[in-house]
Amino acid sequence: MNPAPARHTTMPGTADLDNPLYYLENFETVVRWVRQHHSDLLTADETGRIDSLLTLDQSARALLARMVMRSGELFRVEKLNYPELGVPVKDAASALSRNGWIEDNPGIPLAKLFRLFTLAELRPALADQISAAGLPTAAAKGLLKDTLIPLYPDAAPVEHWLPGIPTQVIRLNHMALFDRLRLMFFGNLRQSWSDFVLVELGHQQYEQVPLSTESRAFDERDDVDRYLIMHHCRERLDEGESPETVWQDVPPANDNPWLESRRGRLLFELGKLAERGGNTDLALSAYQHSGHREARLRQLRLLERLKRHHEAWALAITAGDAPRFGSEERGLERILLRLAKKLGEATPQASTRPAITAFTLELDNPQGHSVEWVAMEHLSEPEAPVAYVENTLINGLFGLLCWRPLFAPVPGAFFHPFHTGPVDLYREDFVERRQALFDDCLDALATDDYKTRIRNTWRKKQGVASPFVIWPALSEDLLELALECIPAHHLERMFRRLLDNLKEHRSGFPDLIRFHPGHTDPNRRYEMIEVKGPGDRLQDHQTRWLEFCVSHDIAVSVCYVRWAGAAE
């Protein structure tokens, strides 16, 4: 293994899309970044291959980048058309072959042949095999595949399958290395190379998070291996392999919280598949060990279905003491009510649902604007301006006040300098791992210091990508009105609810906000209004925000709009 890399980093350059080889620049940014910052997690052979790659001629490197970005490992040379290489593709491929990056004449299984060649090319070339199988010459491709592939399971060079056809097939080697590099750069294998390589990175401003060995998600090579094993387990499930066999290869729990969240998602998906397949014991075990935010409710519902009511009751009571997120709390209430009736237990006290104020407007809409826009225009007055903010305002104020904890360089949050936000944003322990930083931000709401922090961040970070601040929607005028009219204790309550479950609670805010700067009651200098057009209704996550606001004396209402002249 290699020594640990340098602790600190500088922002790498970004390619210009006017350069026809911009994708090569971005591709090599990834390779060099991992080589520099994760060399201790690579073997000597892997770092040697990377160094060898970077010394190839530009045309060979560009062709390799193109093939890595494409799907699969087999390619027809005559189908590769990249004039920006500056040399024939065959010449660039030869250079890659000499250096071991491609295999010139690989054995090809018949299944891959059907992907590489058209039916018009295959029918005459496979005429003998088709006839021997008793199939008509004009048989459909699906029938040919289903019949011939089991009969000819062995791989063979392309000239064996398609004699006389002028073609060359090559195989890209070392894709396992490229997958490893992609994982260590992105922090996941969901994103493809093209997600990074084929974009103009320079058009976006990114927060420059200080990255060091302490902030990496992967501490050891075993962490990378563990992730790759879990990824392959998920792929096997997606390809139809039984959850029983995949279960045997799921790695045991370990002390890396970031990897444990990935393992929790894998077990949750495995449990659902086992449940659908009737293996309820495996499903229950997978849910029990998952830790996924939805796993406990699935486990409880399955126990109910199996009539294991006493087990379900004990688990639901325990879960009710510390629900994992908002919608689980509602689900637990419903489950406890059902179980109490079946077991003769005392019915749990149902949470009270506050009444939500509503009013109706009948409006014209000759220009065909959105219902929210029409309502905003109608309700707005010089002394009480209305803004269409939906989820942008409260989220934006939160993002500005809490910029520091959101971009804290904790392990598993940032893998490279091009993130628009922390990758662990929706993980269950996101807030816990930054608790002291969030506490400091919310403590600022006790004085007017929070306004200074928000204004300073708005000025200093203008245009920098954030998961909560939508810059075009947060003008300085709107910001100042909000700071003038929304009391700090209201912001604190809404921000704390956000932090309870960032994934669920960042949406569902009312569409409009109406400001009353001159109101004598500081708690009534604004109100939030949800707008519903004809036939529309409140969604659950919207209702939860409205009820929360009513419960905390935050002025909210629902405006139902009817179009003038419309039939009842």
Side-chain angles (χ1 to χ4, degrees):
M1 301 289 283
N2 296 285
R7 290 164 58 90
H8 301 290
T9 182
T10 56
M11 186 76 165
T14 56
D16 186 343
L17 289 184
D18 290 335
N19 175 8
L21 293 174
Y22 75 94
Y23 63 86
L24 176 60
E25 286 190 49
N26 287 343
F27 176 77
E28 291 182 352
T29 291
V30 175
V31 174
R32 293 179 192 277
W33 177 268
V34 177
R35 174 69 175 87
Q36 179 182 354
H37 297 278
H38 298 285
S39 59
D40 59 319
L41 307 183
L42 299 169
T43 65
D45 178 66
E46 288 166 342
T47 54
R49 289 195 183 281
I50 292 170
D51 293 341
S52 171
L53 161 63
L54 296 173
T55 63
L56 291 173
D57 289 342
Q58 184 182 75
S59 58
R61 302 197 317 271
L63 177 59
L64 183 64
R66 284 292 195 186
M67 290 193 294
V68 168
M69 284 188 289
R70 291 181 58 160
S71 174
E73 300 177 10
L74 293 167
F75 304 93
R76 295 175 63 177
V77 173
E78 67 273 15
K79 296 293 185 180
L80 299 175
N81 180 31
Y82 302 120
E84 77 277 2
L85 300 182
V87 301
V89 169
K90 280 193 174 185
D91 293 350
S94 294
L96 292 175
S97 176
R98 290 193 300 272
N99 288 275
W101 290 102
I102 63 172
E103 184 179 350
D104 275 329
N105 194 28
I108 307 172
L110 190 55
K112 299 290 186 183
L113 207 71
F114 277 97
R115 186 180 69 81
L116 289 168
F117 293 88
T118 67
L119 190 56
E121 292 172 313
L122 291 173
R123 273 194 178 126
L126 298 177
D128 291 343
Q129 291 92 331
I130 293 171
S131 176
L135 297 174
T137 305
K141 189 173 185 177
L143 179 59
L144 291 178
K145 289 172 64 176
D146 292 344
T147 305
L148 297 181
I149 289 173
L151 296 176
Y152 301 94
D154 296 330
V158 66
E159 62 265 21
H160 169 82
W161 298 115
L162 309 175
I165 291 185
T167 186
Q168 180 186 0
V169 175
I170 57 177
R171 183 195 304 278
L172 178 61
N173 294 330
H174 309 302
M175 270 308 294
L177 171 60
F178 289 115
D179 285 341
R180 187 175 288 267
L181 295 178
R182 180 162 57 97
L183 170 58
M184 286 191 282
F185 185 80
F186 284 118
N188 64 74
L189 286 171
R190 180 187 68 260
Q191 289 176 271
S192 69
W193 285 93
S194 59
D195 288 336
F196 180 87
V197 172
L198 295 181
V199 298
E200 186 179 14
L201 299 170
H203 83 285
Q204 177 76 276
Q205 295 183 62
Y206 303 90
E207 177 68 1
Q208 295 191 34
V209 179
L211 301 177
S212 67
T213 52
E214 288 78 13
S215 65
R216 298 186 309 177
F218 299 115
D219 297 323
E220 303 173 359
R221 183 178 176 87
D222 181 66
D223 291 340
V224 185
D225 294 338
R226 180 180 294 270
Y227 187 107
L228 290 167
I229 291 170
M230 291 191 290
H231 177 75
H232 293 145
C233 284
R234 181 59 190 268
E235 284 186 324
R236 289 161 60 191
L237 290 173
D238 292 342
E239 291 166 2
E241 190 171 336
S242 75
E244 289 77 10
T245 57
V246 174
W247 170 261
Q248 304 301 318
D249 296 325
V250 175
N254 80 336
D255 57 2
N256 184 316
W258 178 73
L259 286 174
E260 275 306 286
S261 71
R262 312 290 306 192
R263 181 173 175 272
R265 284 198 286 275
L266 170 63
L267 289 174
F268 181 62
E269 294 302 321
L270 187 147
K272 289 196 295 184
L273 289 171
E275 184 178 350
R276 289 185 202 128
N279 190 339
T280 54
D281 287 341
L282 176 57
L284 289 170
S285 184
Y287 295 147
Q288 180 184 352
H289 291 92
S290 169
H292 185 274
R293 64 177 66 237
E294 298 177 35
R296 198 157 53 185
L297 281 181
R298 293 284 303 217
Q299 183 183 0
L300 282 165
R301 289 173 185 139
L302 180 53
L303 286 171
E304 272 194 288
R305 186 159 59 84
L306 296 173
K307 302 188 185 308
R308 292 160 63 171
H309 298 140
H310 289 284
E311 289 178 62
W313 176 262
L315 177 60
I317 290 292
T318 302
D321 293 334
R324 287 176 179 163
F325 59 102
S327 58
E328 186 186 60
E329 187 172 2
R330 294 286 173 83
L332 287 172
E333 285 181 3
R334 290 190 287 267
I335 288 171
L336 284 169
L337 283 171
R338 292 195 299 267
L339 291 172
K341 293 177 182 178
K342 291 170 181 171
L343 297 174
E345 299 282 355
T347 302
Q349 184 69 37
S351 58
T352 57
R353 307 286 294 274
I356 300 169
T357 301
F359 63 96
T360 301
L361 296 176
E362 185 170 305
L363 303 175
D364 291 313
N365 188 16
Q367 303 299 320
H369 292 302
S370 70
V371 66
E372 295 88 358
W373 180 268
V374 174
M376 179 190 71
E377 288 288 295
H378 175 81
L379 293 170
S380 191
E381 299 174 359
E383 67 279 7
V386 179
Y388 181 15
V389 295
E390 199 171 5
N391 298 313
T392 60
L393 179 58
I394 302 303
N395 279 325
L397 294 173
F398 168 80
L400 292 172
L401 180 63
C402 298
W403 193 279
R404 186 175 170 220
L406 289 171
F407 288 96
V410 301
F414 297 93
F415 289 79
H416 54 76
F418 304 102
H419 287 293
T420 58
V423 298
D424 65 333
L425 183 63
Y426 298 135
R427 224 176 64 189
E428 285 80 357
D429 63 347
F430 175 82
V431 176
E432 178 186 339
R433 297 204 298 156
R434 301 159 174 84
Q435 192 66 63
L437 292 173
F438 278 116
D439 288 344
D440 175 72
C441 293
L442 297 185
D443 287 347
L445 291 162
T447 69
D448 273 356
D449 182 47
Y450 80 94
K451 295 183 180 180
T452 302
R453 291 194 189 192
I454 287 175
R455 289 186 180 111
N456 287 343
T457 306
W458 188 89
R459 284 191 289 267
K460 292 177 181 178
K461 302 298 183 181
Q462 187 68 221
V464 176
S466 162
F468 289 95
V469 183
I470 310 300
W471 293 105
L474 195 57
S475 68
E476 189 168 14
D477 288 344
L478 176 60
L479 179 70
E480 290 301 328
L481 262 177
L483 291 178
E484 178 185 355
C485 296
I486 304 177
H489 63 281
H490 285 186
L491 289 176
E492 180 181 3
R493 287 165 180 165
M494 289 188 279
F495 291 173
R496 289 195 184 280
R497 183 171 193 266
L498 265 175
L499 288 171
D500 281 343
N501 188 335
L502 287 166
K503 185 174 185 178
E504 284 196 2
H505 295 168
R506 64 178 301 166
S507 63
F509 288 99
D511 299 305
L512 308 181
I513 185 167
R514 177 158 56 183
F515 297 105
H516 301 278
H519 204 292
T520 55
D521 183 348
N523 291 321
R524 291 295 178 265
R525 289 178 182 156
Y526 79 105
E527 60 178 315
M528 295 189 288
I529 304 169
E530 176 65 29
V531 180
K532 290 298 173 188
D536 199 3
R537 64 179 183 85
L538 291 171
Q539 304 297 310
D540 286 346
H541 66 305
Q542 296 171 331
T543 300
R544 286 195 287 270
W545 261 117
L546 292 167
E547 291 177 349
F548 173 85
C549 289
V550 173
S551 299
H552 291 84
D553 197 30
I554 296 171
V556 290
S557 59
V558 180
C559 170
Y560 292 97
V561 174
R562 295 187 309 201
W563 299 128
E568 291 292 335

